[in-house]
Amino acid sequence: QIAIGIKKEVDFAGWYTNVLIKADMLDYYNVSGCYILRPWSYSIWEVIQDWFNARIREMGVQNAYFPMFVSAKVLEREKDHIEGFSPEVAWVTRAGQSELEEPIAVRPTSETVMYPYYAKWIKSHRDLPLKLNQWNNVVRWEFKNPQPFLRTREFLWQEGHTAHLTKAEADTEVREILELYRQVYEDLLAVPVIQGIKSEKEKFAGGLYTTTVEGFVPTTGRGIQAGTSHCLGQNFSRPEMFNIFVEDPNDPTGQGKVYVWQNSWGLSTRTIGVMVMIHGDNQGLVLPPRVASIQVVIVPCGITAKLSDEARKAVNDRCEELASSLKKVGIKAKADLREGYTPGFKFNDWEQKGVPLRLEIGPADIAKQQTLSVRRDTGVKAALPLANITTSVPELLETIQGDMFKRAQDTYYSRLREVTRWEDVVPTLDDKCVVVMPWCEEEACEDDIKERSARSSEPTDERAPSAGAKSLCIPFDQSRWPAIEPGKTKCAACGKDAKRWTMFGRSY
Ligand SMILES: O=C1CCCN[C@@H]1CCCn1cnc2cc(F)c(F)cc2c1=O
Ligand SMILES: [Mg+2]
């Protein structure tokens, strides 16, 4: 009896956790907001790590590891940097039965752990650029309801922290990393994202500016911040903060000092949650081939009781041979020869786990020297000759990867609604779309938009106010929308001169 699944469009939150459990991606844990990452999801994180490590190594970034504990004195180095976040900080206050002299914080991010050592290690401009990254876990005691991968009290991420002699160099690296984040999503996870800069209200307050890759979840019509690359400017290197400076190589007197220009950038296991939400369907998980730990599952069919033992052996051997010839060309293939399970049971099992391609082989297929392929993303079936299977299957997997991305990108772009009149804002949000409007970029206006859009669209049911819209990003690529005419095009919210088209929406 295969459990009746929860429908994605009916109960999205229930569908999401059900898919994760049924696909063996995670398990629940008795500390709220924490989950166990089982191999089926952890293998996706490893693909992302391997890919990202190769590329940052090419950029001269080195991996390192810093302690997870931060003293209160160090964490609260600068009151205003931390003040908004302090409710999220987890503290160790005792070991065994003895209270600690000073409480020790568990890192929520590592700026304050790392930068005192940047100050110590960076003595000359020849020590620049310093580029370190760590793969670690961080703890943030969020109080909003937790969601696996999307909002958890402990999560895995990489956090890159770099120091440069000039702003220009820092600016360049911010975008190089953001481009890598785009590729992780679009090329590995088949998830479309839009690159842009955050508004003053939404940026990391401790930094100079924040760039972001913004995802979109069509089922809920909500945007999701999928990765961030900040330029910190000299905010963390200035004397009152970590005092990280070098002699100015361009100052003939040799007296000049340059405070270093810093960046920090992070991508977390939220990547996995976004991929599940975008591609999953009512049969369960749908994995993009490039991150699937099993890309092709081969299932013996037509094995009935009346089939002779040698015929049954012939089918099983053919499945095994097919798996090994696909593995030889680098395809992650598996023959499911489990006894005592029907083909139908196996089909459902691997569909729930999101394996991108199934190949069925029965006596009839052997006779015809073919296999029946079934795509997980579309369900489309096609007979494939065994003769050229080691080229047709890799090609089919690439087609699946491309089609999954294209479908998701078309959906995302179809939900970007150009809005130039305020009265169209809330209806657009209620339509599960992103508002893209000419915006003045003033913080007061953004506060106003959030408040005015929080009122529900139907004046009658004041009870159920919809969540307000916040700015998601100001896309770097403005060419998708009509040019803003300076002094002429007005902000759709306040009527002041608009500066750039900006995406507003409800978000995670
Ligand atoms: O977002 C990134 C990328 C990787 C490195 N860090 C930056 C900025 C993190 C911003 N941030 C985000 N969340 C925080 C939560 C806290 F509890 C806290 F004490 C501090 C922070 C905090 O600084
Ligand atoms: Mg937060």
Side-chain angles (χ1 to χ4, degrees):
Q1 159 70 6
I2 292 166
I4 307 296
I6 303 171
K7 294 263 176 290
K8 184 176 185 180
E9 58 286 349
V10 171
D11 168 13
F12 188 56
W15 167 86
Y16 177 69
T17 49
N18 195 36
V19 163
L20 293 172
I21 292 292
K22 290 279 183 56
D24 297 338
M25 292 274 272
L26 63 67
D27 211 334
Y28 290 104
Y29 189 60
N30 73 335
V31 173
S32 162
C34 296
Y35 303 88
I36 293 141
L37 304 191
R38 300 182 67 182
W40 202 247
S41 65
Y42 195 77
S43 60
I44 298 170
W45 187 238
E46 289 181 313
V47 170
I48 293 170
Q49 283 185 296
D50 293 348
W51 186 92
F52 192 72
N53 267 331
R55 281 173 195 64
I56 58 174
R57 193 174 301 120
E58 287 162 11
M59 291 173 63
V61 177
Q62 294 171 293
N63 283 331
Y65 187 79
F66 287 73
M68 68 180 291
F69 298 115
V70 208
S71 69
K73 189 162 47 60
V74 168
L75 182 73
E76 293 156 354
R77 175 65 173 255
E78 242 275 305
K79 281 293 167 221
D80 67 7
H81 158 57
I82 217 83
E83 117 276 339
F85 292 120
S86 48
E88 297 178 9
V89 179
W91 295 92
V92 178
T93 56
R94 73 166 206 272
Q97 292 312 313
S98 54
E99 292 291 313
L100 296 188
E101 284 291 299
E102 294 289 323
I104 302 276
V106 178
R107 68 181 163 216
T109 181
S110 298
E111 282 79 1
T112 57
V113 176
M114 298 169 77
Y115 297 170
Y117 292 89
Y118 279 35
K120 177 181 179 185
W121 299 333
I122 297 172
K123 283 299 153 216
S124 146
H125 73 271
R126 288 183 188 78
D127 299 323
L128 295 177
L130 175 62
K131 300 179 169 187
L132 299 183
N133 176 63
Q134 2 178 33
W135 293 93
N136 62 19
N137 64 326
V138 287
V139 172
R140 296 175 186 175
W141 221 257
E142 309 256 6
F143 283 94
K144 288 185 194 165
N145 65 319
Q147 276 206 287
F149 296 112
L150 304 173
R151 182 187 305 282
T152 57
R153 285 179 162 167
E154 175 189 13
F155 60 86
L156 306 180
W157 71 349
Q158 55 67 219
E159 48 176 319
H161 296 266
T162 61
H164 307 265
L165 184 64
T166 65
K167 180 178 187 298
E169 197 186 299
D171 290 340
T172 301
E173 191 208 64
V174 164
R175 295 297 299 274
E176 284 171 353
I177 293 294
L178 196 71
E179 173 58 14
L180 293 184
Y181 289 168
R182 181 193 69 75
Q183 292 174 35
V184 165
Y185 276 99
E186 299 200 340
D187 301 342
L188 294 185
L189 298 168
V191 168
V193 291
I194 289 179
Q195 295 179 324
I197 191 165
K198 285 284 187 185
S199 69
E200 280 308 294
K201 179 184 170 67
E202 288 304 320
K203 77 173 190 183
F204 168 33
L208 183 60
Y209 63 82
T210 291
T211 68
T212 177
V213 281
E214 288 294 316
F216 177 72
V217 181
T219 322
T220 55
R222 287 172 179 269
I224 185 161
Q225 181 170 313
T228 50
S229 180
H230 312 279
C231 178
L232 308 179
Q234 298 166 302
N235 295 358
F236 283 81
S237 64
R238 60 197 169 90
E240 308 78 15
M241 280 289 259
F242 295 96
N243 201 28
I244 311 171
F245 61 91
V246 296
E247 84 290 349
D248 181 349
N250 304 319
D251 174 359
T253 75
Q255 301 308 310
K257 281 199 294 190
V258 174
Y259 286 88
V260 299
W261 291 86
Q262 292 175 272
N263 294 335
S264 80
W265 23 273
L267 186 74
S268 76
T269 38
R270 170 175 275 199
T271 46
I272 299 170
V274 176
M275 181 274 291
V276 171
M277 293 195 300
I278 301 288
H279 296 307
D281 64 15
N282 288 329
Q283 274 64 50
L285 188 60
V286 182
L287 289 173
R290 287 194 197 141
V291 299
S293 54
I294 296 176
Q295 295 168 313
V296 181
V297 66
I298 299 151
V299 180
C301 295
I303 297 184
T304 57
K306 66 178 187 314
L307 201 66
S308 70
D309 281 355
E310 61 270 2
R312 171 206 303 271
K313 188 175 179 324
V315 174
N316 282 343
D317 290 353
R318 198 70 194 82
C319 289
E320 203 57 86
E321 279 162 39
L322 181 48
S324 59
S325 54
L326 286 172
K327 278 186 240 180
K328 278 198 194 80
V329 294
I331 299 296
K332 300 180 182 79
K334 174 185 176 56
D336 181 356
L337 309 179
R338 286 177 292 173
E339 300 284 338
Y341 293 97
T342 64
F345 178 90
K346 295 179 182 180
F347 295 173
N348 179 61
D349 216 17
W350 297 109
E351 281 168 8
Q352 281 189 341
K353 289 176 76 78
V355 171
L357 189 62
R358 175 172 81 233
L359 300 179
E360 300 174 17
I361 292 197
D365 300 302
I366 293 183
K368 289 186 218 152
Q369 281 304 304
Q370 68 175 35
T371 172
L372 183 66
S373 68
V374 186
R375 290 176 52 158
R376 176 63 185 86
D377 62 327
T378 59
V380 167
K381 300 184 179 197
L384 299 179
L386 290 177
N388 68 340
I389 200 75
T390 54
T391 47
S392 61
V393 163
E395 284 165 4
L396 184 47
L397 289 170
E398 276 303 294
T399 301
I400 291 170
Q401 182 82 28
D403 290 354
M404 287 178 71
F405 175 68
K406 182 81 173 60
R407 268 196 301 275
Q409 189 175 59
D410 289 348
T411 304
Y412 194 167
Y413 288 174
S414 76
R415 301 291 192 84
L416 296 177
R417 289 286 156 76
E418 207 174 297
V419 170
T420 52
R421 305 181 315 164
W422 173 260
E423 54 268 26
D424 296 333
V425 165
V426 174
T428 300
L429 300 177
D430 290 346
D431 243 0
K432 293 188 181 180
C433 289
V434 170
V435 167
V436 187
M437 65 184 210
W439 186 47
C440 62
E441 297 182 32
E442 305 214 351
E443 195 153 349
C445 180
E446 182 162 5
D447 294 336
D448 194 43
I449 288 166
K450 186 154 175 69
E451 195 267 329
R452 286 163 69 193
S453 61
R455 277 202 290 281
S456 67
S457 49
E458 294 79 35
T460 49
D461 70 346
E462 283 311 315
R463 292 179 314 287
S466 56
K470 61 194 227 185
S471 68
L472 302 173
C473 79
I474 303 167
F476 290 119
D477 178 1
Q478 292 273 313
S479 65
R480 187 184 308 282
W481 302 284
I484 297 249
E485 296 175 72
K488 273 197 69 186
T489 312
K490 300 302 180 190
C491 170
C494 73
K496 288 200 182 102
D497 284 353
K499 286 186 179 153
R500 289 176 286 186
W501 288 95
T502 304
M503 290 164 60
F504 283 85
R506 295 176 184 133
S507 76
Y508 280 87

